[in-house]
Amino acid sequence: MKRALLVVALILGCASNPRAPDRAAAPVPEAGTSDGGLARTGPPPAGAEPQGTPDAPFRARPPPPSTPVLFHAPIPRMAKLSNGLPVWIVEYHEVPLVAVDLVVKSGSDTEAQSQSGLASFVLDALDEGTGSRDSVAIARAFEDLAARYRTEADADSSEVLVTALSSTLPEVLQIFADVALHPAFRTADVERVREQRLGQIAQILDDPAQVAERILRRTIYGEKHPWAYPSEGTARSIAALQPPTLAKWHETYFRPNNAALVVAGDVQGDALLPLLERSFGAWRPGKVPPARTKAPASAGAPRTVIVVDRPGAPQSQIFVGELGIESAAPDRFAARVMNLIFGGSFNSRLNINLRTEHGWSYGAFSFFEEHRQAGPFISQSGVMADHTAEALSETFRELRRMQQGDVTDGELSDAKESLLHTIPARFTSGESVAELFARAFAHGLPPDYYATYAEHVASVTKEDVAKAARERLHPDRAAIVVVGPLAETRKALGSLGLGAVEVRDAQGEAMEAKAPDAGPGR
């Protein structure tokens, strides 16, 4: 009975409780009425003045530029170990990190055609095992010490790098020296690297831009030049390399009289040298053969337009190039300025033509690849396939215009500023600094090269750029490679009068040769 009375009381209590107001239906207070501090939720009345903020005038004006920061590149301290190994030291104490770069002045310039990829193969196999450590032990040792290890193969140099905490540098150096100087090249380890390399090569052959660049280099340098073949090698050359060949290359070129140590970061030079001596002092010099003879490509043969067919491709890759400049060329700064004006920046003539004015490409650019001997000058662009011939024609039009040497004050100023502003960003870490000076050593550049860089750039004149353009650009004999749909482009390419259309496969081997479709080769 009590339970029944309780239930009735609860029902009556709920029925007498008023219904809560519907918040969504609550009216918005009118202007001038008390709204409890709530802002109007509806649109402002027509003709109402826009409501500003106290700092609106400040936000209406962009802030003025700050005072320019003057960058001064460091000059390394020079030293030598007891075995004659040069040491370049650049001290940075902002963070407790040290980068050590062992640079060897030999790379793919040492390779025969049948051994292309040998230098980079050796570098990839270094950390696969030494006489006292296998690959797992090496990886764990670097990881336990928070060290980062990698290698870099180039056309005329090889680099082995490690970045470590300054507090663990003594232990890291012992492992690093063991890996760099005492690789075992065991058969199982070499086979593992070989499989990885063959997979990498297969991926490259499926990339139109990389295919075009590989074939262009081969065309520029000719069949007997080591740089005519890819630094990663070909499937045939990599399949043929055996452990004794790798060991012989390493023994021949990894010598202290052919190398240097570049150290950048949180170190004290006087304390560093004994550590380097302990790790690298027992390394013995040896006789190092000169780089292989570099015979330039024959200039007497008629030029052809080399095409690699990719049926149905929506884009064509256009690569045009010739022999460029060496790192120490007297006109290297003028040539770099000239390249930025032609195709080396987003605002370059080539990119504005193909991308902005015609809308045929997402980007077109050019570059000089510099080494101790002349690397290539390459112009490249990915363009809409149905505008391949027009884009190639415009590329040559811009080359010829650049060759005439007419440069505006604005173009000169922008190019020089671009060169100057990119240098500080390359000194943002000890690792990048070590790489910069390793490159300087390998290319025979002086230790103060970057300290005097701005002075050299600032001194470039329009006359210097014009002279570099006349002497360095040769459109009438530049090599041409197009990777794209042949059926849609062949007739139009032939009508340009740049030479016969020659078809090759993705590895650069000739498939067929045709007579010129229209006009003599120019």
Side-chain angles (χ1 to χ4, degrees):
M1 183 65 176
K2 291 181 179 180
R3 182 178 299 174
L5 292 174
L6 177 61
V7 170
V8 172
L10 289 172
I11 293 173
L12 292 174
C14 291
S16 64
N17 194 25
R19 181 176 180 270
D22 187 351
R23 295 183 183 272
V28 177
E30 294 295 330
T33 64
S34 175
D35 60 2
L38 296 176
R40 172 183 291 274
T41 59
E49 291 293 327
Q51 297 299 309
T53 59
D55 61 351
F58 166 78
R59 293 181 181 278
R61 296 188 301 270
S66 60
T67 303
V69 176
L70 297 178
F71 172 74
H72 300 284
I75 300 176
R77 169 184 169 181
M78 315 300 292
K80 275 190 178 182
L81 301 186
S82 60
N83 57 5
L85 178 66
V87 180
W88 293 24
I89 306 170
V90 183
E91 295 190 24
Y92 282 93
H93 300 288
E94 287 77 7
V95 291
L97 292 174
V98 184
V100 182
D101 190 330
L102 175 63
V103 54
V104 176
K105 295 174 67 173
S106 298
S108 56
D109 57 346
T110 63
E111 300 167 353
Q113 175 184 347
S114 61
Q115 294 182 332
S116 64
L118 172 57
S120 62
F121 199 126
V122 169
L123 292 185
D124 279 355
L126 290 180
D127 65 337
E128 293 296 323
T130 69
S132 58
R133 296 178 173 92
D134 62 14
S135 60
V136 175
I138 292 170
R140 284 178 177 171
F142 280 137
E143 184 178 356
D144 289 345
L145 294 168
R148 180 172 58 194
Y149 165 93
R150 67 182 182 86
T151 60
E152 186 77 28
D154 201 359
D156 55 4
S157 64
S158 301
E159 295 178 55
V160 189
L161 306 95
V162 69
T163 302
L165 296 167
S166 51
S167 59
T168 63
L169 183 61
E171 296 91 338
V172 170
L173 281 175
Q174 293 295 317
I175 305 166
F176 179 65
D178 188 32
V179 170
L181 305 185
H182 308 119
F185 298 119
R186 300 181 184 92
T187 299
D189 299 331
V190 171
E191 290 304 318
R192 183 164 54 251
V193 176
R194 190 194 316 278
E195 289 301 315
Q196 293 172 346
R197 180 62 63 83
L198 291 174
Q200 176 190 358
I201 292 172
Q203 289 180 326
I204 289 173
L205 293 177
D206 198 41
D207 185 325
Q210 293 196 65
V211 167
E213 184 172 342
R214 285 164 58 126
I215 297 175
L216 183 73
R217 291 173 185 270
R218 184 170 173 179
T219 307
I220 291 172
Y221 284 103
E223 300 295 318
K224 296 182 179 180
H225 198 292
W227 293 348
Y229 301 94
S231 60
E232 70 275 1
T234 64
R236 178 178 298 178
S237 66
I238 294 301
L241 294 177
Q242 298 302 318
T245 307
L246 275 61
K248 180 64 176 177
W249 190 94
H250 181 272
E251 179 185 4
T252 300
Y253 296 103
F254 266 62
R255 293 289 181 177
N257 52 310
N258 192 42
L261 278 170
V262 181
V263 183
D266 186 26
V267 294
Q268 298 288 343
D270 293 338
L272 172 67
L273 291 174
L275 295 177
L276 298 179
E277 185 69 39
R278 191 182 314 155
S279 300
F280 291 90
W283 190 18
R284 296 294 92 195
K287 184 178 180 180
V288 179
R292 297 183 62 83
T293 301
K294 294 181 171 52
S298 172
R303 180 172 64 184
T304 60
V305 179
I306 297 172
V307 178
V308 178
D309 189 17
R310 290 180 67 87
Q315 271 195 344
S316 292
Q317 293 292 329
I318 297 175
F319 276 64
V320 176
E322 61 177 306
L323 201 63
I325 61 174
E326 62 272 18
S327 297
D331 63 342
R332 61 188 181 274
F333 292 99
R336 292 170 192 168
V337 171
M338 179 268 293
N339 173 65
L340 281 171
I341 295 170
F342 168 72
S345 71
F346 188 80
N347 293 324
S348 68
R349 294 177 178 182
L350 183 65
N351 194 56
I352 288 176
N353 184 323
L354 299 186
R355 176 189 167 101
T356 307
E357 294 180 359
H358 288 102
W360 296 335
S361 173
Y362 282 118
F365 59 94
S366 64
F367 61 92
F368 281 105
E369 184 179 290
E370 300 173 24
H371 303 291
R372 287 194 301 273
Q373 297 196 34
F377 170 70
I378 295 176
S379 165
Q380 65 181 93
S381 55
V383 303
M384 299 169 62
D386 54 351
H387 291 286
T388 301
E390 297 101 308
L392 181 58
S393 177
E394 288 299 311
T395 298
F396 273 88
R397 187 174 76 83
E398 293 296 350
L399 279 169
R400 294 187 180 100
R401 184 162 76 100
M402 188 74 249
Q403 188 190 34
Q404 293 171 2
D406 294 330
V407 174
T408 67
D409 292 333
E411 287 178 322
L412 179 68
S413 176
D414 289 347
K416 290 166 69 171
E417 286 296 309
S418 178
L419 278 179
L420 292 176
H421 290 166
T422 57
I423 287 297
R426 302 175 69 183
F427 285 80
T428 54
S429 71
E431 185 172 315
S432 61
V433 171
E435 287 189 88
L436 284 178
F437 285 108
R439 173 184 170 86
F441 168 82
H443 290 189
L445 302 174
D448 67 348
Y449 174 74
Y450 292 103
T452 60
Y453 191 95
E455 178 184 342
H456 288 298
V457 172
S459 67
V460 174
T461 66
K462 288 197 292 186
E463 291 73 22
D464 296 330
V465 174
K467 185 173 184 291
R470 290 193 301 269
E471 296 181 355
R472 296 294 183 179
L473 298 180
H474 308 94
D476 291 342
R477 62 173 187 256
I480 305 166
V481 177
V482 177
V483 179
L486 180 62
E488 293 87 339
T489 61
R490 181 174 207 150
K491 183 177 180 180
L493 289 174
S495 69
L496 296 178
L498 295 173
V501 174
E502 178 183 335
V503 184
R504 298 193 187 182
D505 63 19
Q507 300 190 64
E509 301 300 328
M511 296 180 65
E512 59 173 305
K514 296 288 185 180
D517 292 292
R522 289 188 291 161

